[in-house]
Amino acid sequence: MKRSMFFMGILLLIVVLLGGVVGAAAPTRISVWGIFRPNETDMFGVWILEQIEAFEAANPGIRIDYNYTENEAYKTKLQVAMLGGAGPDILFNWGGETQAIYSREGMLYDLTKHIDKKYWGLSKGLFSTHTYQGKIYGIPFFPTVNSVWYNKEMFKKYGLNPPSTWSEFLDVCEKLKKQGIIPFSIGGKDAWTILHPFMYLAERSAGAKLYSDAKAGKVRFDHPDFVKAFSLLETLSKKGYLPPDVLNLTYGDATQLMIRDRAAMMSQGNWLFNVLTNESTSDFDKWDFFPFPVIKGGKGDPKAVLGCADGFSINASCKHPEAAVKFLKFLASRESLVSCYQKTNALIALADPYIDEKAQPQVKKVATLLSEATSLTQWWDQDLPAPMTQALLQGLQEILAGVRTPKQVATALEEAR
């Protein structure tokens, strides 16, 4: 009898335990795709894995499944998956056209109602590249901004001040040229290096809204304000302010002209500071930057910037959008993003910039520039459709080669739509 009761007790315990397992709610699973390698070779990958672990600990009912793919392969993989209805719940993208190809087709979840008046503590201007037809379809995390980097020692030697207007900029260029210095470095063989200063010429001449309207087909790209921007680029070439063999130089060649004190200025993203300082190990006081000069009569905003703000979006087909939003808000928290900065030294999208006390003054200035930006326009080669990008890059090279006029290049860009 005792043995029988013992076995009955064991059986009852097993039934209770099995019932508990069967009755337990399965965790909500959210799939995340990104380009951050989840190991020690990529500190962004280390950061995101740590944040996933912290989020799951604070939200035991939600599990995050992270999938890494190398940068270029990721673009193809994501597009195939999204168009085939098999995309992830949360997807990394660069904003601009890399997001718009999905938001235009209704493939992304509208985040507008989830964004409070303080934009989750992130810089409001950075949301512009993640917005489509007034609705927010992505959260900016990792910004990059274009500006004009210059040799401080050279400017001091020749009694020059950072210019704030285009006429002042041309005066600086002329004085440098007379000293045998290449005023403005571009590696035209890599056409995107021509695009960097041109985008600002277009922004300062035409303004961010006109560009947005032109991209949407409401205005033509051969509008006089855009033609003027192409003409200003042509001016730099005709006056001899660019390297004499500009179209035979790569991006690397152009940076070497700066490092070897043969050129004084270069329009690039904030990554150039790392290149010029040998990955932040030397010559900190030799380099600084200034915002791209304003153009008299131009329609641009002096605080508008060019760059990108990489971030994450939610798939419209996500079965648990509230959980996905919760995870993105967790990633966007000040604590999380400060942790990202401390691991990567990369700029973060906080409206109230966090910069380590040990950071160089130039890095602090870049962070302030981003936090105060009224808008951020995506790199055009990431923002425009591929045929237009190809026409634009080719046209910029043709202007420097002197084989096509600004009006012809502007028209070719429009016709590539």
Side-chain angles (χ1 to χ4, degrees):
M1 176 67 73
K2 290 182 179 180
R3 180 176 296 181
S4 177
M5 292 182 66
F6 172 77
F7 283 117
M8 287 181 65
I10 292 295
L11 180 61
L12 180 61
L13 179 60
I14 291 173
V15 170
V16 170
L17 289 175
L18 286 176
V21 171
V22 173
T28 296
R29 307 200 76 91
I30 299 295
S31 59
V32 179
W33 286 9
I35 62 170
F36 308 131
R37 186 187 297 272
N39 61 34
E40 295 295 334
T41 65
D42 183 343
M43 295 310 293
F44 281 105
V46 173
W47 167 74
I48 198 166
L49 288 188
E50 288 182 355
Q51 296 309 306
I52 287 172
E53 182 179 352
F55 176 80
E56 290 180 343
N59 300 273
I62 305 175
R63 291 290 177 267
I64 305 297
D65 300 317
Y66 179 70
N67 181 279
Y68 154 80
T69 305
E70 183 275 331
N71 194 319
E72 289 303 316
Y74 173 80
K75 298 174 184 177
T76 302
K77 174 184 174 180
L78 179 65
Q79 189 165 354
V80 170
M82 291 293 288
L83 295 177
D89 295 312
I90 296 176
L91 53 133
F92 171 88
N93 65 75
W94 293 268
E97 181 63 17
T98 67
Q99 182 192 89
I101 57 176
Y102 306 121
S103 54
R104 276 197 302 265
E105 303 300 322
M107 295 182 179
L108 298 183
Y109 179 75
D110 183 2
L111 288 160
T112 310
K113 66 181 179 182
H114 298 283
I115 307 301
D116 56 31
K117 293 182 179 179
K118 294 185 177 181
Y119 287 81
W120 290 4
L122 304 178
S123 177
K124 178 180 177 181
L126 301 183
F127 279 81
S128 57
T129 64
H130 291 272
T131 300
Y132 177 70
Q133 293 188 341
K135 295 183 178 180
I136 297 171
Y137 290 99
I139 307 299
F141 282 85
F142 316 112
T144 301
V145 64
N146 188 316
S147 56
V148 181
W149 291 88
Y150 71 100
N151 187 318
K152 289 169 60 179
E153 294 177 356
M154 194 178 290
F155 268 51
K156 183 178 180 180
K157 179 179 178 179
Y158 298 117
L160 304 174
N161 295 314
S164 59
T165 68
W166 183 246
S167 60
E168 290 175 357
F169 177 80
L170 293 179
D171 287 342
V172 168
C173 286
E174 186 62 28
K175 291 175 181 177
L176 286 166
K177 180 184 175 183
K178 289 179 178 179
Q179 296 296 333
I181 303 295
I182 297 169
F184 202 77
S185 191
I186 287 177
K189 190 173 183 179
D190 294 327
W192 63 269
T193 69
I194 315 172
L195 179 62
H196 274 240
F198 168 75
M199 289 185 297
Y200 263 123
L201 290 172
E203 197 290 323
R204 297 299 190 246
S205 298
K209 185 179 185 308
L210 193 66
Y211 167 74
S212 179
D213 287 346
K215 179 190 170 188
K218 299 176 182 178
V219 174
R220 291 179 59 88
F221 269 107
D222 52 7
H223 183 284
D225 289 343
F226 292 120
V227 174
K228 178 181 179 180
F230 284 113
S231 298
L232 294 177
L233 175 68
E234 184 182 52
T235 296
L236 294 181
S237 179
K238 287 187 173 181
K239 286 183 173 291
Y241 297 156
L242 305 180
D245 52 349
V246 60
L247 290 176
N248 291 319
L249 300 181
T250 65
Y251 162 72
D253 296 329
T255 59
Q256 283 302 309
L257 291 177
M258 295 282 285
I259 292 170
R260 295 175 183 175
D261 295 338
R262 292 183 57 198
M265 298 179 287
M266 188 172 180
S267 177
Q268 281 291 300
N270 49 276
W271 63 75
L272 185 63
F273 183 61
N274 276 346
V275 176
L276 297 175
T277 58
N278 191 25
E279 297 302 318
S280 300
T281 61
S282 61
D283 292 334
F284 297 117
D285 294 332
K286 184 177 179 178
W287 308 102
D288 203 350
F289 76 90
F290 54 86
F292 204 90
V294 297
I295 296 172
K296 185 177 181 180
K299 300 173 184 176
D301 184 336
K303 288 192 174 184
V305 297
L306 275 295
C308 65
D310 303 345
F312 290 98
S313 300
I314 297 175
N315 196 328
S317 64
C318 176
K319 295 180 180 179
H320 306 285
E322 296 294 335
V325 170
K326 192 172 187 178
F327 177 62
L328 289 187
K329 194 168 186 178
F330 182 90
L331 279 187
S333 69
R334 185 173 184 82
E335 181 180 0
S336 172
L337 288 180
V338 166
S339 172
C340 181
Y341 170 82
Q342 292 171 338
K343 290 186 184 308
T344 65
N345 289 320
L347 293 172
I348 48 180
L350 291 174
D352 181 14
Y354 173 86
I355 296 294
D356 191 281
E357 293 180 359
K358 298 178 182 179
Q360 295 299 319
Q362 297 90 331
V363 177
K364 295 179 181 179
K365 282 178 60 179
V366 171
T368 300
L369 181 69
L370 277 167
S371 68
E372 295 178 351
T374 52
S375 68
L376 184 147
T377 298
Q378 187 88 3
W379 315 119
W380 286 24
D381 54 346
Q382 291 182 358
D383 200 35
L384 293 174
M388 297 186 74
T389 294
Q390 183 177 356
L392 173 61
L393 296 178
Q394 179 179 328
L396 293 173
Q397 290 176 319
E398 290 171 336
I399 284 177
L400 298 193
V403 298
R404 297 186 85 179
T405 67
K407 174 67 173 178
Q408 288 173 332
V409 170
T411 300
L413 172 60
E414 175 62 31
E415 292 177 347
R417 189 184 299 277

